[in-house]
Amino acid sequence: MKSEELFEKAKLLIPGGVNSPVRAFRAVGGNPLFIKSAKGAYITDEDDRQYIELINSWGPMILGHAFEPVEKAVRDAIQHSFSFGAPTRKEVEMAELIIEMVPSVEKVRMVNSGTEATMAAIRVARGFTGRDKLIKFEGCYHGHGDSFLIAAGSGAMTMGTPDSPGVTKATAHDTLTAPYNNLAAVERLIDANPNQIAALILEPVVGNMGCVLPEPGFLQGIRDLCIKHGIILIFDEVMTGFRLAKGGAQERFGILPDMTTMGKIIGGGMPVGAYGGRTDIMNMVSPAGPVYQAGTLSGNPIAMSAGLAMLHHLNNHPEVYTRLDEVGRRLADGFRASAVKLGLNYTVNQIGSMFTLFMTDKPVTDLDSAKTSDIPQFGRYFHAMLERGVYLAPAQYESLFASTALTDELIDQVIQASEESLAVAIS
Ligand SMILES: Cc1ncc(COP(=O)(O)O)c(C=O)c1O
Ligand SMILES: N[C@H](C=O)CCC(=O)O
């Protein structure tokens, strides 16, 4: 087994054998698959086993793996060298396209990951308001910047370290947390910290405690509170951006934040992030303004080429979003129905191409309810799915991501596999 051999070696060389914790399969047991290649709806491991993809690199492969226009753009771009550390035409095109597609963004700065985007956005919000504190929601994940590793979701929660050691008490003190979908709790935090809160950051649809939707009125309520109290509202659209609509969750829900953080899809799979927002706020960023933020590889020409090819396709093909909604709905309905057949009233949250089957019969609206899921049962389900050729996120507290490469036939196969796997998981 090549994956097993590679993992044994990797553990000697890389902390935990992986370069990002959720990949290690700790939440589900067993050894991670080492991936060799992927194309369309399939991913292939080092042992030449093929799986239908429902992670899609945690989001970016929205059109399936190695999508031809993106592949061609990268091939063309590498002929002109790989990095200049200087401005390029492609960065300007990228900024123009993001501003056209994302309703609230008037100016944008490219960075190299979602983590960089959220770290920078918070610094800018602090510089703009002259305030220090921020509000985030329990179970939301905004990358691994110190300020966000408080009640963090995704791998941090899966590994049992939602409040990571190494984050200073002073930093933790400036991060206030509230349960998702709880406006009253946010109001209490604001009242207890008058004129001290620079920003409120949230995933407008959460992907990092599993898929959790904002309840009707929640996003509008947050928007109103931020306006009333002079707080910068940041939508972290690293997952939802260009996925839930071409303008992200803000377009889908019709609620505009002051700032937006982006990642994943804008790199077409290359390491990219971005943050943007209102001109008066973004003009705080150096060299236009005094808030420092920089990056040798930011706006990298290969990454820009991949991202531009991806975004142009999404911008020019509205039918992609109709299909993504259809694929997500069919999968979610199928997962729900197969649970019911087994006498289980399990919760399946879904919006567009993001969805999670929670191993619980409680509605999942926040972190506490997500935690009612039966985690060992999820582990058994995960491995049964792998045996049936379906590659899921290796943790309950993650959203799955569908791509347009999933045909109706593949969707039926996945649903059939889910039914069989649930039967194994509960037996
Ligand atoms: C909502 C959200 N924000 C930020 C991040 C951090 O992005 P990255 O892993 O590219 O640093 C992620 C994912 O990891 C995410 O899902
Ligand atoms: N939930 C995270 C981002 O989407 C998972 C990816 C990672 O942390 O490696």
Side-chain angles (χ1 to χ4, degrees):
M1 298 286 278
K2 291 185 188 150
S3 279
E4 269 180 43
E5 282 164 26
L6 281 167
F7 191 44
E8 285 313 308
K9 185 165 181 188
K11 281 191 282 190
L12 302 175
L13 306 169
I14 305 171
V18 290
N19 281 316
S20 195
V22 281
R23 297 179 196 173
F25 276 31
R26 290 267 173 99
V28 291
N31 291 329
L33 308 182
F34 279 63
I35 303 302
K36 190 159 69 174
S37 66
K39 180 75 190 162
Y42 289 100
I43 195 162
T44 305
D45 71 7
E46 285 283 346
D47 296 293
D48 289 321
R49 287 174 306 201
Q50 232 188 20
Y51 302 88
I52 302 170
E53 255 285 51
L54 288 179
I55 309 182
N56 284 301
S57 188
W58 305 92
M61 299 307 173
I62 191 165
L63 303 169
H65 281 279
F67 183 65
E68 277 86 1
V70 175
E71 200 185 314
K72 179 175 180 318
V74 170
R75 252 190 278 113
D76 291 349
I78 56 176
Q79 295 173 31
H80 305 286
S81 190
F82 312 134
S83 176
F84 311 122
T88 64
R89 177 184 296 275
K90 284 188 178 140
E91 291 170 301
V92 182
E93 286 173 20
M94 176 60 97
E96 202 171 20
L97 195 52
I98 291 175
I99 290 165
E100 183 190 329
M101 291 175 80
V102 186
S104 70
V105 173
E106 295 170 353
K107 272 197 174 177
V108 61
R109 169 62 68 82
M110 300 308 298
V111 291
N112 302 291
S113 68
T115 295
E116 270 190 58
T118 54
M119 280 166 51
I122 283 295
R123 189 181 307 136
V124 173
R126 285 176 167 147
F128 185 80
T129 57
R131 301 172 179 177
D132 287 344
K133 294 190 178 168
L134 76 97
I135 295 178
K136 77 174 279 291
F137 290 96
E138 294 162 4
C140 280
Y141 179 69
H142 304 291
H144 60 87
D146 284 1
S147 300
F148 305 113
L149 290 179
I150 318 290
S154 186
M157 184 161 65
T158 299
M159 301 299 142
T161 49
D163 308 302
S164 174
V167 174
T168 66
K169 286 194 182 65
T171 302
H173 174 259
D174 282 338
T175 301
L176 312 173
T177 60
Y180 198 75
N181 276 322
N182 190 332
L183 274 179
V186 175
E187 264 186 293
R188 281 195 294 276
L189 288 177
I190 296 173
D191 290 345
N193 298 272
N195 300 316
Q196 293 174 61
I197 297 166
L200 182 151
I201 186 167
L202 83 166
E203 298 178 66
V205 167
V206 190
N208 287 297
M209 49 180 145
C211 179
V212 175
L213 275 63
E215 288 180 340
F218 177 62
L219 294 178
Q220 186 62 60
I222 291 291
R223 178 61 283 183
D224 294 345
L225 279 174
C226 287
I227 290 173
K228 185 171 165 198
H229 297 280
I231 296 168
I232 304 295
L233 174 59
I234 305 171
F235 273 10
D236 183 352
E237 297 234 37
V238 165
M239 277 183 178
T240 53
F242 311 95
R243 176 170 282 280
L244 293 187
K246 73 176 183 178
Q250 55 195 269
E251 177 188 323
R252 192 153 178 144
F253 291 97
I255 308 247
L256 301 191
D258 303 303
M259 297 185 80
T260 303
T261 52
M262 296 159 265
K264 315 251 186 197
I265 292 172
I266 44 171
M270 304 290 281
V272 177
Y275 65 100
R278 279 172 22 201
T279 300
D280 57 339
I281 300 174
M282 290 304 289
N283 280 347
M284 290 296 290
V285 180
S286 185
V291 176
Y292 200 71
Q293 183 273 310
T296 307
L297 300 176
S298 294
N300 172 271
I302 314 300
M304 292 304 95
S305 302
L308 276 171
M310 179 73 93
L311 292 195
H312 274 304
H313 188 90
L314 295 175
N315 202 25
N316 297 328
H317 292 85
E319 72 279 6
V320 163
Y321 293 99
T322 316
R323 177 62 186 161
L324 286 169
D325 280 6
E326 200 175 281
V327 172
R329 199 167 37 246
R330 281 202 57 197
L331 283 165
D333 287 350
F335 279 29
R336 228 174 263 123
S338 55
V340 168
K341 270 194 209 166
L342 296 165
L344 303 166
N345 188 25
Y346 278 177
T347 293
V348 182
N349 286 349
Q350 175 255 336
I351 177 167
S353 53
M354 293 174 68
F355 61 103
T356 299
L357 163 64
F358 290 95
M359 304 286 153
T360 177
D361 54 12
K362 308 272 181 304
V364 178
T365 57
D366 59 12
L367 181 59
D368 281 351
S369 45
K371 280 183 169 171
T372 63
S373 306
D374 184 332
I375 299 302
Q377 192 176 103
F378 178 82
R380 294 193 293 278
Y381 171 75
F382 171 84
H383 282 288
M385 286 293 265
L386 266 191
E387 277 164 28
R388 286 160 182 77
V390 182
Y391 188 51
L392 305 177
Q396 172 75 95
Y397 303 125
E398 299 287 350
S399 179
L400 299 178
F401 298 102
S403 80
T404 52
L406 282 175
T407 59
D408 288 347
E409 201 184 341
L410 289 178
I411 292 170
D412 289 342
Q413 270 183 48
V414 171
I415 293 170
Q416 178 63 31
S418 180
E419 184 174 334
E420 292 171 17
S421 300
L422 258 186
V424 171
I426 61 172
S427 62

